Amino acid sequence: MTTSIDTSRLRREALRWLVLLTLNNARPIGAFEGPVLSVAQAEYPDCTALELRRELEYLHERALIELQRQPSGRWFAKLTRHGIDLAEYTTDCEPGIARPAKYW
């Protein structure tokens, strides 16, 4: 039996957590995808806008963020109450997001 680490899954899940933390810091206003991408690229320098949009869409489908796709082509994201609760550790985190265990 071999155990292999799915690095792409780990990256996706960590990126989702990073997006949630970024949007939590952008509360109550929210943020355009550009600043969120800058934060993501600080952790993953090769992160692309397409990769970020894919994870934003995932978080939107889980009702953790609100997404506004503007006619100019820019995306604007804001945490929902479920996203805030997840970022503040007041609810359980389901699989798919690499939220670290609370140690404090």
Side-chain angles (χ1 to χ4, degrees):
M1 179 176 197
T2 62
T3 56
S4 63
I5 298 173
D6 186 355
T7 56
S8 61
R9 181 178 63 85
L10 294 175
R11 179 181 167 125
R12 282 192 312 270
E13 293 178 355
L15 184 57
R16 292 170 190 157
W17 177 241
L18 189 61
V19 168
L20 289 172
L21 288 180
T22 303
L23 293 176
N24 193 38
N25 282 301
R27 283 179 38 215
I29 298 170
F32 282 101
E33 62 185 319
V36 179
L37 181 60
S38 295
V39 173
Q41 287 175 335
E43 183 72 21
Y44 303 103
D46 60 339
C47 182
T48 64
L50 178 62
E51 182 180 13
L52 176 65
R53 284 187 172 191
R54 192 171 38 232
E55 302 316 324
L56 286 170
E57 185 64 37
Y58 174 87
L59 294 170
H60 175 68
E61 289 177 7
R62 286 187 57 176
L64 296 172
I65 66 171
E66 296 173 4
L67 265 184
Q68 297 173 1
R69 295 170 188 88
Q70 300 194 340
S72 64
R74 298 170 67 192
W75 285 21
F76 184 83
K78 181 178 179 181
L79 286 182
T80 64
R81 70 175 186 85
H82 300 294
I84 294 169
D85 288 342
L86 185 69
E88 293 182 345
Y89 286 84
T90 55
T91 61
D92 292 334
C93 184
E94 295 179 9
I97 297 172
R99 183 177 76 172
K102 188 174 182 178
Y103 59 88
W104 58 95

